Amino acid sequence: MQKTDVAPILTTIGYINWWEGRGSKAHQYMRLALDTDPGYRFARLTDQMLGAGIIAGWNTNKDTAYKTRLDMP
């Protein structure tokens, strides 16, 4: 696996973390992705989205927010 092959994987993991409401963790993965491939556009755009404080719409409502098994009754 080449160094540039890692950026899409890290970006995807970061995006999933954002989707689950973990913005700080998502940002860490975006930084790792950009460290491995600074030109990877999806990582750059997603990192800008995180930096702007954009939250997934479904995470703003407790009924639609992502829940783990521990959060469920």
Side-chain angles (χ1 to χ4, degrees), residues 16 35 45 51 63 68:
I16 291 168
D35 286 346
L45 293 171
D63 295 325
T68 65

Side-chain angles (χ1 to χ4, degrees), residues 5-40:
D5 295 338
V6 177
I9 295 166
L10 292 169
T11 303
T12 302
I13 294 169
Y15 193 84
I16 291 168
N17 274 277
W18 170 79
W19 185 84
E20 293 177 343
R22 295 194 228 20
S24 296
K25 186 62 106 179
H27 176 69
Q28 290 173 344
Y29 279 104
M30 292 311 141
R31 297 309 323 154
L32 288 171
L34 290 169
D35 286 346
T36 60
D37 185 358
Y40 189 59

Side-chain angles (χ1 to χ4, degrees), residues 15-24 26 46-62 64-66:
Y15 193 84
I16 291 168
N17 274 277
W18 170 79
W19 185 84
E20 293 177 343
R22 295 194 228 20
S24 296
T46 306
D47 194 47
Q48 289 173 356
M49 176 186 71
L50 292 168
I54 296 174
I55 299 170
W58 53 85
N59 280 326
T60 61
N61 180 326
K62 71 175 185 159
T64 60
Y66 176 81

